[in-house]
Amino acid sequence: MEYAVLSNSSGDPIDVSGDVRKSAHELEWHSVENDGEGNWRYALKRTREAAAACLAVGILANILVAIPLTTELVAPAHAQVIPKSLEQGGTDAALRERRNAWTVGVAGGQLSGTYMTLADELAQVLDDGDNLRVVPIVTYGAASNLDDLLYLRQVDVVMAQSDVFEYFRTQRKTPNLEQRIHYIIRLPVSEMHVLAGADIKSIEDLRGRKVSFGPAGSASSLTGTIVFQRLGVKVEQVLFDNPTALEKLKSGELAALVRVIGKPVGFFAQIPPNSGLHLVPIPFSKIFTDHYTLGEFSSQEYPTLVPQGDKIDTIAVPAVLAVFNWPKNTVRYRRVQRFTEALFTKWDKFMEPHRHPKWRDVNLAATVPGWTRRRRGDAESYLSEGRRISAKGSEGRRIWVVPEVSGSLGYGPYSGAA
């Protein structure tokens, strides 16, 4: 019996390509003693195994040859870099100190509200790693923010409204409020939204009806209540969260819901057409001139709630970015000071088109009667000299900062604009 084996004439253990390509009659034959059918089958099996092994080695050799060529043609991938803030090590005590040293808590408001959006954008713009970290805090709303600033730990800056301050001073009689709470800048006004069904034409139509004023602690739970009291319209007041109130309004369980929030806000803008809901006008009169101003809604802001081309009058309330007046040279004082300086240094970034449009309505030098402005070092000196700072808005218009005029609210649809 004879069997075939592959021979490698080159002597190179890798170079088997020639052997693989040989035809059967080119193989070298060797004789073996045929002592039976078992030996014949064994020889045939060994021949097949040898052929398969040589084929596998040939494929592997081709792969090994191709790898260097592929490496030369494809550029190596760059290593990804882990943020340095996550790479930092040290003892627990050192890490705890570093994380807290320059961290400032900013109380915004309800998650779906304008103040929370502003607080979040403060963090986006002012964050500077361990040099300054701004932590936005979701709260009950603008009315409770002043409470948080006075009594809640780790709250350094809040969005608050001027009528809330006055309520705490005159009704709650919070001691030494003027000395304890100061403000950095005056924020844009927040408008009072009263959403109702088609059967409600005026605030008077809500007399004796069930109206939601938002959750307790929200701006609407205080400002909305004050406005209805001054108008002499007594309603059945309930305090639902706003999504729940909207569903109850649609079902007819409520006659209206009230939100005091800076326009435009998605909660109202996203109400579909033909919902049967609309914004109720609130007439401005002398009973509101102490802490409020005239506001309005347009069909451009709320196309499904205001008829095309129309405007609806409402009440608006001024707001401030308030801080606790910590004693100088204390840790909390230095944190707020660094926050304040960063705010003015990076103010132009709040004018970028993707930021909330309310930032472009801020007049940095505007005052708020009854409040004390926090001194801002160089920024305070700059404004007191009567110089002007301009910042370009998303549509090219300029918002001018004018010298302070004490004793004037200065609120209006074009206040500070030129």
Side-chain angles (χ1 to χ4, degrees):
M1 180 66 188
E2 295 180 328
Y3 70 94
V5 295
L6 291 170
S7 70
N8 185 350
S9 60
S10 69
D12 186 349
I14 301 300
D15 184 13
V16 297
S17 57
D19 293 324
V20 173
R21 289 191 299 268
K22 286 182 180 179
S23 60
H25 69 271
E26 292 176 312
L27 298 175
E28 180 183 353
W29 291 89
H30 299 267
S31 296
V32 296
E33 184 179 356
N34 183 3
D35 56 356
E37 185 178 356
N39 285 341
W40 181 85
R41 290 182 177 178
Y42 174 76
L44 182 59
K45 178 180 179 182
R46 290 294 304 273
T47 301
R48 290 173 177 173
E49 290 175 349
C54 289
L55 181 61
V57 171
I59 294 173
L60 178 60
N62 287 332
I63 293 175
L64 293 175
V65 170
I67 287 175
L69 179 61
T70 304
T71 304
E72 291 177 0
L73 295 176
V74 180
H78 294 290
Q80 304 304 305
V81 179
I82 301 298
K84 290 183 178 180
S85 61
L86 297 178
E87 290 181 340
Q88 294 176 347
T91 65
D92 278 357
L95 289 171
R96 187 177 297 108
E97 172 64 24
R98 189 159 62 234
R99 290 290 183 270
N100 288 279
W102 296 106
T103 296
V104 175
V106 179
Q110 297 177 53
L111 188 60
S112 63
T114 303
Y115 290 151
M116 196 61 216
T117 300
L118 299 183
D120 181 56
E121 292 189 352
L122 282 170
Q124 294 177 30
V125 172
L126 304 185
D127 257 9
D128 189 19
D130 290 339
N131 295 319
L132 178 63
R133 182 181 179 185
V134 178
V135 179
I137 304 172
V138 177
T139 67
Y140 296 121
S144 68
N145 282 353
L146 200 57
D147 246 344
D148 292 341
L149 185 58
L150 287 166
Y151 307 115
L152 186 62
R153 293 187 179 93
Q154 308 307 321
V155 174
D156 302 288
V157 182
V158 305
M159 313 279 179
Q161 294 174 180
S162 59
D163 61 341
V164 176
F165 184 89
E166 188 64 15
Y167 176 81
F168 274 56
R169 187 178 69 86
T170 60
Q171 303 300 314
R172 279 187 39 168
K173 300 189 183 300
T174 303
N176 302 316
L177 189 64
E178 295 89 342
Q179 288 75 41
R180 298 165 68 185
I181 304 295
H182 289 179
Y183 77 100
I184 302 175
I185 58 173
R186 191 188 74 186
L187 295 172
V189 298
S190 291
E191 291 81 9
M192 182 168 167
H193 299 63
V194 179
L195 186 68
D199 60 318
I200 304 298
K201 306 297 183 183
S202 67
I203 295 295
E204 179 62 34
D205 292 339
L206 291 172
R207 185 180 297 275
R209 305 286 295 274
K210 185 181 291 187
V211 177
S212 175
F213 287 79
S218 64
S220 53
S221 68
L222 180 62
T223 301
T225 302
I226 292 173
V227 169
F228 272 77
Q229 287 176 347
R230 293 190 179 190
L231 290 173
V233 177
K234 187 176 181 179
V235 299
E236 182 183 345
Q237 184 185 43
V238 292
L239 300 172
F240 293 120
D241 64 84
N242 294 302
T244 299
L246 181 58
E247 291 305 313
K248 291 182 178 295
L249 177 59
K250 292 177 179 178
S251 69
E253 187 176 340
L254 290 177
L257 68 82
V258 178
R259 286 197 73 175
V260 179
I261 190 171
K263 67 174 184 179
V265 62
F267 179 85
F268 295 102
Q270 294 168 8
I271 292 176
N274 304 317
S275 65
L277 303 176
H278 70 110
L279 290 168
V280 181
I282 306 175
F284 187 83
S285 66
K286 63 181 181 181
I287 61 175
F288 297 116
T289 56
D290 53 351
H291 300 295
Y292 303 96
T293 186
L294 175 65
E296 65 180 18
F297 303 121
S298 69
S299 57
Q300 183 177 2
E301 294 158 344
Y302 298 124
T304 63
L305 301 176
V306 179
Q308 182 64 34
D310 285 1
K311 292 184 178 181
I312 295 177
D313 289 343
T314 189
I315 301 296
V317 55
V320 298
L321 193 62
V323 296
F324 194 87
N325 184 32
W326 294 102
K328 287 186 177 181
N329 300 320
T330 60
V331 172
R332 301 292 290 275
Y333 177 89
R334 288 192 293 269
R335 286 178 189 167
V336 174
Q337 185 68 14
R338 181 169 292 193
F339 171 91
T340 305
E341 293 301 332
L343 176 67
F344 284 95
T345 301
K346 299 181 178 181
W347 184 255
D348 60 321
K349 295 185 179 299
F350 293 100
M351 302 298 110
E352 294 173 351
H354 60 283
R355 300 298 175 193
H356 196 284
K358 280 290 187 182
W359 289 118
R360 293 185 282 279
D361 292 333
V362 173
N363 182 338
L364 291 177
T367 59
V368 182
W371 289 69
T372 302
R373 185 195 296 277
R374 175 187 171 84
R375 294 197 60 81
R376 301 182 300 274
D378 293 340
E380 180 74 36
S381 300
Y382 191 90
L383 292 177
S384 65
E385 291 173 4
R387 300 176 183 177
R388 290 188 166 210
I389 305 172
S390 66
K392 213 169 207 180
S394 60
E395 300 176 355
R397 70 190 181 102
R398 290 185 177 271
I399 304 299
W400 293 97
V401 172
V402 298
E404 296 186 11
V405 180
S406 60
S408 172
L409 277 173
Y411 291 103
Y414 305 106
S415 176

